[in-house]
């Protein structure tokens, strides 16, 4: 097991970015739920924005997993 190469560092950097997006989205969504009344149209907007961010994180995580699996072959 040697030093990490450029591809490994790129995957790690991308994974950290996904982790930051997931954490920030969760915190911002919780804050928005605290500020906005349930049923308000802005609450739906925040919900949709959070869903979009979580979906993006899922897609990027899947791509990272596929690239890492391909490198192991």
């Amino acid at each position: 097991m040697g030093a990490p190469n450029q591809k490994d560092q790129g995957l790690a950097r991308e994974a950290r970015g996904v982790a930051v997006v997931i954490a920030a989205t969760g915190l911002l969504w919780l804050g928005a739920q605290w500020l906005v009344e349930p049923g308000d149209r802005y609450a739906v907007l925040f919900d949709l924005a959070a869903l979009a961010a979580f979906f993006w994180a899922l897609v990027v995580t899947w791509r990272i997993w596929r690239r890492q699996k391909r490198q192991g072959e």
Side-chain angles (χ1 to χ4, degrees), residues 43-59:
V44 174
L45 180 66
F46 288 128
D47 290 345
L48 290 175
L51 281 173
F54 286 134
F55 181 74
W56 175 87
L58 178 68
V59 169

Side-chain angles (χ1 to χ4, degrees), residues 4 13 17 21 24 26 32 36 45 50 58 62 64-65 70:
R13 184 173 33 257
V21 167
V36 179
L45 180 66
L58 178 68
W62 180 77
I64 292 169
W65 175 72
R70 204 175 321 130

Side-chain angles (χ1 to χ4, degrees), residues 6-67:
Q6 292 289 68
K7 289 182 182 181
D8 290 340
Q9 290 176 348
L11 287 173
R13 184 173 33 257
E14 203 168 354
R16 279 191 302 270
V18 169
V20 167
V21 167
I22 291 171
T25 300
L27 290 174
L28 290 173
W29 181 80
L30 285 173
Q33 297 303 309
W34 183 68
L35 290 174
V36 179
E37 294 180 20
D40 192 10
R41 75 175 121 182
Y42 292 113
V44 174
L45 180 66
F46 288 128
D47 290 345
L48 290 175
L51 281 173
F54 286 134
F55 181 74
W56 175 87
L58 178 68
V59 169
V60 173
T61 302
W62 180 77
R63 288 179 54 214
I64 292 169
W65 175 72
R66 292 291 300 162
R67 255 187 281 156

